[in-house]
Structures are given as structure tokens and as C-alpha cells.
Amino acid sequence: MNRRQLFISTIAILTAGISGCITDTENPQEPHCNGTAPPTIFNEDDQQYDIDILIEEDGETVLSNGYSVGQSNENDEQTQIDVELAAETTYSVTIGLSGTDYEPKQIEIPNGGGLAIFIEDGEPTVDTYPACD
């Protein structure tokens, strides 16, 4: 192989290699995340609570269970609930915190998200959180 052929081959290999690294910055790809993350309890208070959770879909009970949760700390120690919820489905969530019942909340779990139960200043709130970033 002469110098000219070697030079052309090297340029061709480098061009092919570099083109594989170039991305379209104007249209970035969205991460593909299907399904839902497990429901999670985040306790922001510095005390332990007994919490009763009722999750229903179209009047049918999906989960009815009680938990004792301590404070979630900087190490992300939250309580994950072992129940599978469907994405893009609306659930009714009722919380009972240390003997106090709260009104049911209707919430839709997004694809790639999870159900979050936050406890702060002795008050529970229900929301969703992104599981995929």
C-alpha cells in the first residue's frame, strides 16, 4: 500500500468514527422509560408515624396496608411500597396518618413516574415523582 492509499484509508476510518459520535443537538432524544416506579413514602419530619394507605382503581382496592415510617434522611432512606401501579391510570389514594383520616385524592400516575406520599409538619400529601430523568 502506498502513502496515498494509506492516507485515504486513514481519513475514511477517522471520518466514519467521528460521524458516529456526532449527535443532533437541535432534536435531543427523550429517554425511554416505560412503566412506573414503586409508590414511595418520604417522611420529612424528625419523628416516626404510623400511616395507613388505601389505593383504589375504579372502586376496587389495589392496596390497603399500614406502615410505620421513620424520618427520610440525606441517604435517601424512604419506604417503598411493594405494589405495582399501571402507568397513565387514575387512582384514588386515601391516607390515614397516626389516626387522622384525610380526604381521598385522585391522582394519575404518569408513564415513567411513581406515586409519592410526602409527610411534612405532620401533614401527608400525595403527588407523583419522576422515576426517569
Side-chain angles (χ1 to χ4, degrees), residues 14 18 25 28 30 35 39 51 59 62 69 72 78 81 90 92 98-99:
L14 288 175
I18 292 171
T25 57
E30 292 294 320
I51 186 168
V62 175
V69 295
S72 301
Q78 300 92 18
I81 301 169
T90 300
S92 173
S98 297

PDB file of all heavy atoms in Angstrom, residues 14 18 25 28 30 35 39 51 59 62 69 72 78 81 90 92 98-99:
ATOM      1  N   LEU A  14     -11.248   7.610  10.080  1.00  0.00           N
ATOM      2  CA  LEU A  14     -11.475   8.694  11.031  1.00  0.00           C
ATOM      3  C   LEU A  14     -12.824   9.368  10.801  1.00  0.00           C
ATOM      4  O   LEU A  14     -13.542   9.690  11.750  1.00  0.00           O
ATOM      5  CB  LEU A  14     -10.351   9.727  10.952  1.00  0.00           C
ATOM      6  CG  LEU A  14      -9.006   9.299  11.529  1.00  0.00           C
ATOM      7  CD1 LEU A  14      -7.956  10.369  11.264  1.00  0.00           C
ATOM      8  CD2 LEU A  14      -9.124   9.026  13.009  1.00  0.00           C
ATOM      9  N   ILE A  18     -15.719   9.490  13.625  1.00  0.00           N
ATOM     10  CA  ILE A  18     -16.202  10.769  14.136  1.00  0.00           C
ATOM     11  C   ILE A  18     -17.686  10.936  13.877  1.00  0.00           C
ATOM     12  O   ILE A  18     -18.419  11.432  14.717  1.00  0.00           O
ATOM     13  CB  ILE A  18     -15.394  11.938  13.546  1.00  0.00           C
ATOM     14  CG1 ILE A  18     -13.966  11.899  14.096  1.00  0.00           C
ATOM     15  CG2 ILE A  18     -16.047  13.276  13.861  1.00  0.00           C
ATOM     16  CD1 ILE A  18     -13.031  12.879  13.426  1.00  0.00           C
ATOM     17  N   THR A  25     -28.072  18.058  18.165  1.00  0.00           N
ATOM     18  CA  THR A  25     -28.347  18.821  19.378  1.00  0.00           C
ATOM     19  C   THR A  25     -29.658  19.591  19.295  1.00  0.00           C
ATOM     20  O   THR A  25     -30.193  20.003  20.316  1.00  0.00           O
ATOM     21  CB  THR A  25     -27.200  19.807  19.667  1.00  0.00           C
ATOM     22  OG1 THR A  25     -27.022  20.658  18.535  1.00  0.00           O
ATOM     23  CG2 THR A  25     -25.915  19.062  19.980  1.00  0.00           C
ATOM     24  N   PRO A  28     -32.795  16.607  20.678  1.00  0.00           N
ATOM     25  CA  PRO A  28     -32.275  15.564  21.558  1.00  0.00           C
ATOM     26  C   PRO A  28     -33.316  14.476  21.768  1.00  0.00           C
ATOM     27  O   PRO A  28     -34.517  14.742  21.778  1.00  0.00           O
ATOM     28  CB  PRO A  28     -31.983  16.308  22.862  1.00  0.00           C
ATOM     29  CG  PRO A  28     -32.860  17.509  22.814  1.00  0.00           C
ATOM     30  CD  PRO A  28     -33.008  17.865  21.360  1.00  0.00           C
ATOM     31  N   GLU A  30     -35.484  11.845  23.764  1.00  0.00           N
ATOM     32  CA  GLU A  30     -36.051  11.703  25.092  1.00  0.00           C
ATOM     33  C   GLU A  30     -35.674  10.324  25.626  1.00  0.00           C
ATOM     34  O   GLU A  30     -35.610   9.369  24.871  1.00  0.00           O
ATOM     35  CB  GLU A  30     -37.581  11.826  25.032  1.00  0.00           C
ATOM     36  CG  GLU A  30     -38.070  13.209  24.659  1.00  0.00           C
ATOM     37  CD  GLU A  30     -37.739  14.246  25.705  1.00  0.00           C
ATOM     38  OE1 GLU A  30     -37.846  13.941  26.906  1.00  0.00           O
ATOM     39  OE2 GLU A  30     -37.332  15.349  25.329  1.00  0.00           O
ATOM     40  N   GLY A  35     -43.474   2.193  32.121  1.00  0.00           N
ATOM     41  CA  GLY A  35     -43.907   1.646  33.392  1.00  0.00           C
ATOM     42  C   GLY A  35     -43.848   2.683  34.493  1.00  0.00           C
ATOM     43  O   GLY A  35     -43.737   3.876  34.242  1.00  0.00           O
ATOM     44  N   PRO A  39     -44.601   2.948  44.535  1.00  0.00           N
ATOM     45  CA  PRO A  39     -45.030   4.042  45.415  1.00  0.00           C
ATOM     46  C   PRO A  39     -44.033   4.181  46.567  1.00  0.00           C
ATOM     47  O   PRO A  39     -43.512   3.183  47.080  1.00  0.00           O
ATOM     48  CB  PRO A  39     -46.393   3.573  45.924  1.00  0.00           C
ATOM     49  CG  PRO A  39     -46.854   2.577  44.921  1.00  0.00           C
ATOM     50  CD  PRO A  39     -45.622   1.917  44.405  1.00  0.00           C
ATOM     51  N   ILE A  51     -48.808   5.087  59.323  1.00  0.00           N
ATOM     52  CA  ILE A  51     -49.559   5.586  58.182  1.00  0.00           C
ATOM     53  C   ILE A  51     -50.343   4.442  57.550  1.00  0.00           C
ATOM     54  O   ILE A  51     -49.822   3.347  57.356  1.00  0.00           O
ATOM     55  CB  ILE A  51     -48.624   6.273  57.158  1.00  0.00           C
ATOM     56  CG1 ILE A  51     -49.413   6.919  56.023  1.00  0.00           C
ATOM     57  CG2 ILE A  51     -47.564   5.345  56.648  1.00  0.00           C
ATOM     58  CD1 ILE A  51     -48.583   7.844  55.137  1.00  0.00           C
ATOM     59  N   GLY A  59     -62.974   1.953  42.183  1.00  0.00           N
ATOM     60  CA  GLY A  59     -63.692   1.369  43.307  1.00  0.00           C
ATOM     61  C   GLY A  59     -63.133   0.043  43.801  1.00  0.00           C
ATOM     62  O   GLY A  59     -63.583  -0.478  44.819  1.00  0.00           O
ATOM     63  N   VAL A  62     -56.646  -1.723  45.426  1.00  0.00           N
ATOM     64  CA  VAL A  62     -55.359  -2.160  44.892  1.00  0.00           C
ATOM     65  C   VAL A  62     -54.401  -2.426  46.049  1.00  0.00           C
ATOM     66  O   VAL A  62     -53.618  -3.367  46.029  1.00  0.00           O
ATOM     67  CB  VAL A  62     -54.771  -1.090  43.936  1.00  0.00           C
ATOM     68  CG1 VAL A  62     -53.383  -1.466  43.471  1.00  0.00           C
ATOM     69  CG2 VAL A  62     -55.694  -0.856  42.762  1.00  0.00           C
ATOM     70  N   VAL A  69     -43.240   4.501  59.595  1.00  0.00           N
ATOM     71  CA  VAL A  69     -42.128   5.112  58.864  1.00  0.00           C
ATOM     72  C   VAL A  69     -41.383   6.109  59.731  1.00  0.00           C
ATOM     73  O   VAL A  69     -41.977   6.925  60.417  1.00  0.00           O
ATOM     74  CB  VAL A  69     -42.594   5.807  57.556  1.00  0.00           C
ATOM     75  CG1 VAL A  69     -43.137   4.797  56.578  1.00  0.00           C
ATOM     76  CG2 VAL A  69     -43.639   6.869  57.829  1.00  0.00           C
ATOM     77  N   SER A  72     -37.013  10.195  56.640  1.00  0.00           N
ATOM     78  CA  SER A  72     -36.173  10.006  55.459  1.00  0.00           C
ATOM     79  C   SER A  72     -34.998  10.949  55.625  1.00  0.00           C
ATOM     80  O   SER A  72     -35.181  12.130  55.890  1.00  0.00           O
ATOM     81  CB  SER A  72     -36.933  10.347  54.177  1.00  0.00           C
ATOM     82  OG  SER A  72     -38.077   9.542  54.054  1.00  0.00           O
ATOM     83  N   GLN A  78     -36.126   5.995  52.091  1.00  0.00           N
ATOM     84  CA  GLN A  78     -37.565   6.138  52.038  1.00  0.00           C
ATOM     85  C   GLN A  78     -38.184   4.758  52.140  1.00  0.00           C
ATOM     86  O   GLN A  78     -37.504   3.752  52.011  1.00  0.00           O
ATOM     87  CB  GLN A  78     -38.020   6.796  50.727  1.00  0.00           C
ATOM     88  CG  GLN A  78     -37.478   8.177  50.483  1.00  0.00           C
ATOM     89  CD  GLN A  78     -36.194   8.164  49.688  1.00  0.00           C
ATOM     90  OE1 GLN A  78     -35.868   7.192  49.039  1.00  0.00           O
ATOM     91  NE2 GLN A  78     -35.455   9.241  49.755  1.00  0.00           N
ATOM     92  N   ILE A  81     -43.236   0.919  48.703  1.00  0.00           N
ATOM     93  CA  ILE A  81     -44.392   0.045  48.880  1.00  0.00           C
ATOM     94  C   ILE A  81     -44.399  -0.989  47.770  1.00  0.00           C
ATOM     95  O   ILE A  81     -44.285  -0.647  46.592  1.00  0.00           O
ATOM     96  CB  ILE A  81     -45.694   0.877  48.867  1.00  0.00           C
ATOM     97  CG1 ILE A  81     -45.648   1.909  49.989  1.00  0.00           C
ATOM     98  CG2 ILE A  81     -46.900  -0.027  48.992  1.00  0.00           C
ATOM     99  CD1 ILE A  81     -46.733   2.942  49.918  1.00  0.00           C
ATOM    100  N   THR A  90     -55.633   6.444  36.642  1.00  0.00           N
ATOM    101  CA  THR A  90     -56.015   7.299  37.757  1.00  0.00           C
ATOM    102  C   THR A  90     -56.405   6.439  38.949  1.00  0.00           C
ATOM    103  O   THR A  90     -57.197   5.502  38.826  1.00  0.00           O
ATOM    104  CB  THR A  90     -57.192   8.216  37.367  1.00  0.00           C
ATOM    105  OG1 THR A  90     -56.771   9.029  36.254  1.00  0.00           O
ATOM    106  CG2 THR A  90     -57.581   9.115  38.522  1.00  0.00           C
ATOM    107  N   SER A  92     -57.423   6.457  43.286  1.00  0.00           N
ATOM    108  CA  SER A  92     -57.883   7.201  44.448  1.00  0.00           C
ATOM    109  C   SER A  92     -56.990   6.781  45.607  1.00  0.00           C
ATOM    110  O   SER A  92     -56.867   5.595  45.914  1.00  0.00           O
ATOM    111  CB  SER A  92     -59.345   6.853  44.763  1.00  0.00           C
ATOM    112  OG  SER A  92     -59.732   7.447  45.987  1.00  0.00           O
ATOM    113  N   SER A  98     -51.332   8.518  61.686  1.00  0.00           N
ATOM    114  CA  SER A  98     -51.403   8.472  63.149  1.00  0.00           C
ATOM    115  C   SER A  98     -52.823   8.689  63.656  1.00  0.00           C
ATOM    116  O   SER A  98     -53.072   9.488  64.549  1.00  0.00           O
ATOM    117  CB  SER A  98     -50.429   9.474  63.774  1.00  0.00           C
ATOM    118  OG  SER A  98     -49.105   9.105  63.428  1.00  0.00           O
ATOM    119  N   GLY A  99     -53.775   7.992  63.046  1.00  0.00           N
ATOM    120  CA  GLY A  99     -55.164   8.024  63.500  1.00  0.00           C
ATOM    121  C   GLY A  99     -56.019   9.104  62.870  1.00  0.00           C
ATOM    122  O   GLY A  99     -57.220   9.167  63.130  1.00  0.00           O
TER     123      GLY A  99
END
